[in-house]
Amino acid sequence: MKHTLEFEKPIAELEKKLDELKSHEASGSLSVSFQEEIALIEKKIRDTRETIFSNLTAHQRVMLARHPKRPYTLDYIREVFDHFTELHGDRLFADDRAMVGGFASIDDSQVMVIGTQKGRDTKENILRNFGSAHPEGYRKAMRLMKMADKFGLPIVTLIDTAGAYPGIGAEERHIAEAIAVNLREMMLLEVPILAIVIGEGGSGGALGIGVADKVMILENAYYSVISPEGCAAILWKSSEAVPQAAECLRITADQLKSLKLVDQIIPEPLGGAQNDVSAVATSMRQVISQTLKQLGSMGVSDRMKARYDRFRAFGQFIES
Amino acid sequence: MTEPVDPSESKLKTRALPGVETREPSITPPPSASDQTPLKRPKPVSGGPRKRLMPEGIWTKCPKCQETIYRKELEAKLNVCWQCGYHFPLTAWERVSSLIDGDSFVQADSEMSSVDVLSFPGYLSKLESNQQKTGMKDAVITGLGLLHGRKVALGVMDFGFNGGSMGSVVGEKLTRIIESATEQSLPVIICSTSGGARMYEGMFSLMQMAKTCGALAYHGREKLPFISVLTDPTMAGVMASFASVGDLILAEPAARIGFAGPRVIKDTTKAELPKGFQTAEFLRDHGLIDAIVPRKELKGRLAWYLDCLMASRDAAQA
C-alpha cells in the first residue's frame, strides 16, 4: 500500500484522477480517447511533485525522515554492503534489537557496521522498540566498536532513531552513562569512523553512535538536539508550533551543512529515499568507500586529532 | 594563582577528616513522599550574591520539614536545613566558595557569553534576563583553585541560569578548563546541575556533549582523575555526557538525576514510576554512582578522594 503524507495529498489526488482516466481508456467503456487528458494530468503530476518536493519545509522533511516506507538501517546494509553477519548482545544484560551491528564488507574490505533499527510493522516495532535503544544497545555498539578497534576494522554507523528510550529500565541500567561512555570512547578509537544519518537523528540517542571522523546525512534526514514536538511543547506550549520549532532548530540536511555540523549530504530521489532505494544505496556506497579510503590514508594520530578538532570547533560565543 | 601548599599539609588535613566512612547509613530510608513528585518541589530560595531573588525577610521555610529557619544561619550551614538535612540549591559562586580554599580561586573565561547563533526567537531576551537575574554571563563558572591545598580545575554549574542548560559557552568553558587540567596535570572536578542541552542553540548544544567528553577522554588518557558531583537536578544532555564519565561520581542527598524527564517516561511507558525513581538514593541503590555525600562533607571527601587518586603522582613528585 502506498503511504501518503499530508503534504503529498495534492499529488495523490491527481494520481487518483489519472488512474480513473486510464481505466476508462483501457476498458473502452466510453467511446472517446483520453490520451490528451492523460498526458496533461501526467505533466501536472510531475509539476506538482517538483513544486512540492523542491520547496519542502523543515517539518515536511521531518515527516519524510519518519516515512513508514523509508529504508531503514538493515535495508541499506543489504544494499550497500556484502556479507553482513550480525553479532548480538552487550555481554552484560541483553541483545537490544533496536541496535544492530556486525561484520560486513565493502569494496572487498571488511568493516564493522552498526546502526539503530526501526521496525516495519507493529510486530517488528515491538521487537525493535521503534528504533529507540536501551543502554544495552549502546553498550553492544561500544563492544563491537572496541572489537573493530582492536582488529583494525573501520567503523560505519547508520543513525535512524527518534532518541534513546525514555523508560524505567533504561534509567535503572543507566542510559545516560551508556551514551556518555560512547561519546568519550569513540573519541579515542584508532580506526576510521564514518557516521551517516539516514532518517531521524534524535538527540543524544543519535550522538551515542555519532562521534565520527566524518558525519554525513541523507537529503531528507534530520538531526536535532530535541524533537520539534518536544521543543514546541516546552517553548510554545502548543503542538501547533511544531512546524515553527522544526524551522527554528535548523535540523535539515542543508541547514546543518551550511552550519558545518555535517560534512556531506547524500542526495535522495524526488519524493524521498523510499522511491528508489537502490539509487540512494549506490550513492551511499560511493560515499562510504571514498571516505574510508581517504580516512584510511591518514596516520592514526592525525586522524584522531582531526576527529577531536572536528568536535572541538563546534560552538559560537563572544569573549569581551 | 597561588601555588599549592606543601603536599604533606594536605595529607595532614586529610587525616584530620572526620573519617572517610562517615557516609550516611548504606541503605538510607526511602525518600519521603514529597520526593515522589520531583518537578513540583517548592522553589527554594538561596543566599549569596543573588540576594535580591529572595523574598523579603530574615526567615525562610524549609520546603521539606516546614521548619522556619533563620536565613543567615542557613547560609552559614551551606544552605542545608539542620532540622531535616534538606539541601537547598547553591548558586555557582556559593558552591565555589564552599569548595575552594580562601581566595585561591582564579576564574577562567569570565567574560565568555552566548551568541544567538540560530537567530532563535526569544533567545537574546532569555539570555539577558538570566544574566540580570544571576549576575553571571552563562550557566557555568570555571577556574583553578586550591582544595585543601591541592590545585584543582573546577567547573560549577548554576541551575538559576536558564535551568543550567548547556550551550556553546558551557561546553567551551568546561572543555577549556579540562584541557588546562590536562596540560598542567591537574584533577578535574565538575559540579553539575542542569536540565540538559540548551534548545536555543540547536545542534551546537548537542555537540557540546561530544566536545566535553572528548576533552575528558584525553584528560583520562593521562591518568588524571575526574570527579563528577551531581547536584539537584542533573538531567538529560548533561547527564548523558561529562557528568556520567567521572572516575568517581558523587551525588548530593535527594538530588534528582536522570536521562529522560519523569513526565516523558510516564507518558511513554504509561507505567507508574518506582518509589524514589531518579533520585541520588535510587541511583546509588542501583549501583550507578559511587557515593552520596552530604554537602558539609563534600570538600573533605573530595580532598581524600584526590589524595587516593593522585597518590602515585604525589609520591613520584615528592
Side-chain angles (χ1 to χ4, degrees):
Chain A
M1 253 244 326
K2 204 169 156 18
H3 185 94
T4 307
L5 298 173
E6 187 62 35
F7 66 89
E8 293 176 311
K9 281 197 174 145
I11 304 167
E13 273 163 30
L14 286 166
E15 280 172 340
K16 204 173 142 201
K17 284 208 182 96
L18 182 67
D19 286 347
E20 274 170 28
L21 275 180
K22 278 184 172 169
S23 71
H24 287 316
E25 181 79 11
S27 69
S29 57
L30 302 165
S31 55
V32 285
S33 170
F34 291 105
Q35 283 306 330
E36 224 170 278
E37 287 78 2
I38 288 174
L40 215 71
I41 292 186
E42 280 172 340
K43 183 178 184 307
K44 178 85 176 147
I45 289 175
R46 277 194 304 275
D47 292 350
T48 310
R49 288 175 66 86
E50 186 67 37
T51 313
I52 288 179
F53 289 110
S54 50
N55 295 293
L56 287 174
T57 65
H59 186 225
Q60 287 168 341
R61 287 202 197 268
V62 170
M63 288 191 259
L64 274 182
R66 295 171 179 163
H67 197 291
K69 300 279 178 191
R70 193 171 174 84
Y72 297 149
T73 294
L74 286 171
D75 300 316
Y76 287 120
I77 289 179
R78 255 190 302 274
E79 294 272 336
V80 172
F81 298 90
D82 299 312
H83 314 300
F84 175 65
T85 325
E86 193 173 351
L87 299 165
H88 295 275
D90 66 347
R91 300 266 168 87
L92 295 164
F93 182 78
D95 183 40
D96 189 339
R97 307 300 298 276
M99 184 79 76
V100 296
F103 298 121
S105 63
I106 184 166
D107 293 343
D108 294 323
S109 302
Q110 284 72 34
V111 296
M112 178 65 76
V113 52
I114 293 165
T116 46
Q117 178 64 38
K118 293 179 176 177
R120 192 60 70 189
D121 53 28
T122 309
K123 198 175 152 205
E124 199 198 354
N125 259 323
I126 291 167
L127 182 76
R128 306 285 185 192
N129 200 32
F130 296 85
S132 283
H134 278 78
E136 39 278 17
Y138 292 96
R139 291 181 182 130
K140 168 164 77 173
M142 184 41 64
R143 178 176 83 80
L144 298 181
M145 287 191 265
K146 288 240 162 140
M147 177 161 58
D149 197 47
K150 181 174 177 183
F151 298 105
L153 294 178
I155 297 164
V156 178
T157 69
L158 301 179
I159 297 170
D160 186 15
T161 180
Y165 188 61
I168 294 167
E171 297 284 331
E172 286 175 334
R173 299 191 294 280
H174 218 175
I175 183 82
E177 192 255 11
I179 291 171
V181 165
N182 285 15
L183 305 186
R184 182 186 63 190
E185 294 303 312
M186 286 183 85
M187 202 63 91
L188 296 179
L189 297 178
E190 294 187 356
V191 293
I193 312 173
L194 165 61
I196 307 175
V197 185
I198 59 167
E200 293 193 85
S203 196
L207 186 62
I209 54 167
V211 180
D213 298 304
K214 295 283 177 197
V215 179
M216 317 297 191
I217 188 166
L218 290 196
E219 188 183 337
N220 293 311
Y222 78 92
Y223 197 179
S224 182
V225 67
I226 185 170
S227 70
E229 290 77 9
C231 179
I234 295 170
L235 291 187
W236 284 275
K237 319 245 182 269
S238 155
S239 58
E240 277 167 26
V242 173
Q244 192 186 350
E247 205 58 57
C248 292
L249 286 164
R250 312 288 180 101
I251 58 181
T252 62
D254 54 340
Q255 289 166 330
L256 294 167
K257 178 76 170 54
S258 68
L259 293 167
K260 298 190 170 67
L261 287 156
V262 298
D263 300 294
Q264 193 178 330
I265 298 172
I266 301 172
E268 294 183 31
L270 199 68
Q274 72 281 2
N275 290 341
D276 193 346
V277 186
S278 60
V280 181
T282 304
S283 325
M284 197 185 282
R285 190 180 310 118
Q286 270 171 8
V287 167
I288 294 173
S289 60
Q290 272 171 14
T291 309
L292 291 185
K293 266 197 199 89
Q294 184 246 321
L295 292 172
S297 69
M298 298 170 77
V300 171
S301 58
D302 288 349
R303 189 168 55 231
M304 287 174 69
K305 183 173 185 310
R307 188 186 311 151
Y308 185 81
D309 291 344
R310 182 186 186 279
F311 287 90
R312 182 70 187 81
F314 291 134
Q316 293 191 24
F317 43 83
I318 42 172
E319 297 182 80
S320 55
Chain B
M1 184 74 226
T2 351
E3 282 308 302
V5 295
D6 182 354
S8 62
E9 192 185 323
S10 147
K11 282 201 182 90
L12 273 178
K13 277 186 181 158
T14 303
R15 251 180 250 120
L17 282 179
V20 288
E21 284 304 326
T22 54
R23 60 179 273 181
E24 306 282 282
S26 64
I27 304 295
T28 40
S32 67
S34 65
D35 293 336
Q36 296 307 306
T37 49
L39 288 170
K40 292 202 176 123
R41 188 180 291 182
K43 205 171 187 154
V45 293
S46 64
R50 215 178 293 158
K51 279 198 168 81
R52 71 200 123 102
L53 264 188
M54 296 194 291
E56 297 301 313
I58 49 173
W59 284 285
T60 189
K61 202 172 207 179
C62 174
K64 195 176 166 198
C65 70
Q66 309 299 321
E67 184 74 20
T68 301
I69 41 189
Y70 207 23
R71 186 164 289 128
K72 264 196 178 157
E73 198 177 357
L74 184 64
E75 281 169 26
K77 292 192 158 71
L78 299 174
N79 276 9
V80 178
C81 172
W82 55 93
Q83 296 290 337
C84 68
Y86 174 76
H87 283 52
F88 287 76
L90 285 183
T91 65
W93 278 114
E94 286 170 331
R95 174 80 59 185
V96 170
S97 57
S98 79
L99 295 178
I100 293 297
D101 302 346
D103 57 0
S104 70
F105 189 72
V106 178
Q107 196 189 169
D109 306 307
S110 59
E111 295 303 307
M112 194 188 293
S113 59
S114 296
V115 292
D116 184 13
V117 55
L118 302 184
S119 307
F120 204 107
Y123 186 33
L124 283 179
S125 62
K126 182 69 91 178
L127 280 173
E128 207 173 295
S129 64
N130 277 290
Q131 283 166 350
Q132 273 174 9
K133 185 175 84 170
T134 61
M136 295 171 70
K137 292 273 185 194
D138 213 283
V140 74
I141 302 283
T142 57
L144 304 178
L146 299 179
L147 190 151
H148 278 339
R150 182 191 293 282
K151 194 168 171 185
V152 299
L154 179 69
V156 178
M157 302 186 77
D158 195 314
F159 196 76
F161 194 104
N162 195 233
S165 61
M166 172 161 67
S168 297
V169 169
V170 170
E172 181 70 20
K173 284 176 79 169
L174 288 173
T175 302
R176 284 190 190 180
I177 206 70
I178 296 163
E179 287 176 338
S180 303
T182 310
E183 279 158 27
Q184 300 180 44
S185 299
L186 301 176
V188 172
I189 299 167
I190 300 176
C191 302
S192 300
T193 172
S194 175
R198 189 173 294 173
M199 276 180 292
Y200 300 95
E201 292 183 33
M203 280 292 287
F204 287 103
S205 297
L206 192 76
M207 292 301 125
Q208 304 312 311
M209 294 167 63
K211 186 163 117 182
T212 50
C213 284
L216 285 167
Y218 281 89
H219 180 258
R221 208 165 69 152
E222 300 302 318
K223 299 199 189 307
L224 292 162
F226 164 45
I227 303 181
S228 172
V229 181
L230 311 176
T231 72
D232 183 61
T234 304
M235 303 294 292
V238 164
M239 193 55 198
S241 64
F242 61 86
S244 282
V245 293
D247 295 295
L248 292 176
I249 304 178
L250 314 177
E252 286 203 328
R256 293 164 292 174
I257 302 162
F259 177 65
R263 267 179 305 188
V264 174
I265 296 174
K266 227 173 162 171
D267 291 349
T268 307
T269 61
K270 318 278 178 222
E272 267 312 298
L273 303 182
K275 209 165 162 33
F277 187 59
Q278 294 186 319
T279 59
E281 292 73 15
F282 185 87
L283 268 80
R284 183 198 55 204
D285 294 346
H286 281 80
L288 312 185
I289 58 173
D290 289 279
I292 294 174
V293 184
R295 192 174 289 160
K296 65 177 189 311
E297 290 176 34
L298 184 60
K299 182 174 180 178
R301 199 77 80 83
L302 287 169
W304 163 245
Y305 288 141
L306 290 177
D307 281 348
C308 295
L309 296 170
M310 298 288 279
S312 71
R313 266 177 192 276
D314 291 344
Q317 275 171 8

